[in-house]
Amino acid sequence: MQVKVKKLSAHATLPTYATDGSGAMDLYAVRKWNNKPDVVTYETGLSFEVPPGYSMLVLSRSGHGFKSDLRLSNCVGLIDSDYRGGVMVNIRADGEATADLDLSKAIAQFIIIETPRIELIEVDALGDTDRGTGGFGSTDA
């Protein structure tokens, strides 16, 4: 699949796959600023033309969470196919960590997923399953 990307800054870095087996592309930043003591906003300097019927999901890098207690402020960012503005990322530090990352390193990652339009049909009853309405730990998993 080809996805068009536009540099909004001459200093922007195009996303890359870290390895041949990577499922997501790494995002880099051109600028950052603090919103709050534990939150830093990163500007990627990029905008994307996500194809109709698809969406871009911006995700935390797993190493940030495991090694540095960092996460995206909104947990997962959703970029719709009709959005053409710049992609920005808010990173929040939990505990004693700092969200102030080196701009030469990847700050987040993204994937493009198919997101078909759906039609909701209101009904009086739903089909039965073995699980039924059991939730919140009901499967002992």
Side-chain angles (χ1 to χ4, degrees):
M1 168 188 298
Q2 293 183 337
V3 175
K4 294 178 182 176
V5 58
K6 179 181 177 182
K7 283 188 174 184
L8 304 174
S9 165
H11 302 291
T13 300
L14 291 178
T16 59
Y17 286 108
T19 68
D20 289 342
S22 293
M25 294 189 90
D26 288 338
L27 283 169
Y28 303 88
V30 295
R31 191 166 76 94
K32 62 183 172 182
W33 62 91
N34 285 69
N35 280 339
K36 301 174 186 173
D38 59 344
V39 178
V40 177
T41 298
Y42 294 87
E43 183 181 333
T44 67
L46 300 171
S47 61
F48 295 83
E49 187 175 319
V50 177
Y54 291 82
S55 298
M56 175 189 286
L57 297 182
V58 179
L59 310 164
S60 290
R61 300 196 64 220
S62 58
H64 287 169
F66 282 99
K67 296 176 186 175
S68 305
D69 291 331
L70 300 177
R71 60 184 168 86
L72 299 186
S73 290
N74 59 342
C75 297
V76 175
L78 174 66
I79 308 296
D80 297 315
S81 65
D82 58 352
Y83 176 69
R84 294 296 184 267
V87 172
M88 296 198 309
V89 175
N90 264 1
I91 295 182
R92 177 175 298 277
D94 293 324
E96 300 298 316
T98 177
D100 190 14
L101 300 172
D102 182 347
L103 289 182
S104 69
K105 309 275 188 202
I107 55 151
Q109 58 188 340
F110 76 89
I111 59 173
I112 304 285
I113 62 165
E114 191 170 8
T115 49
R117 300 289 290 187
I118 63 170
E119 177 185 354
L120 296 177
I121 301 169
E122 187 175 357
V123 297
D124 292 328
L126 300 174
D128 291 329
T129 67
D130 288 341
R131 182 177 181 176
T133 59
F136 306 104
S138 66
T139 63
D140 291 328

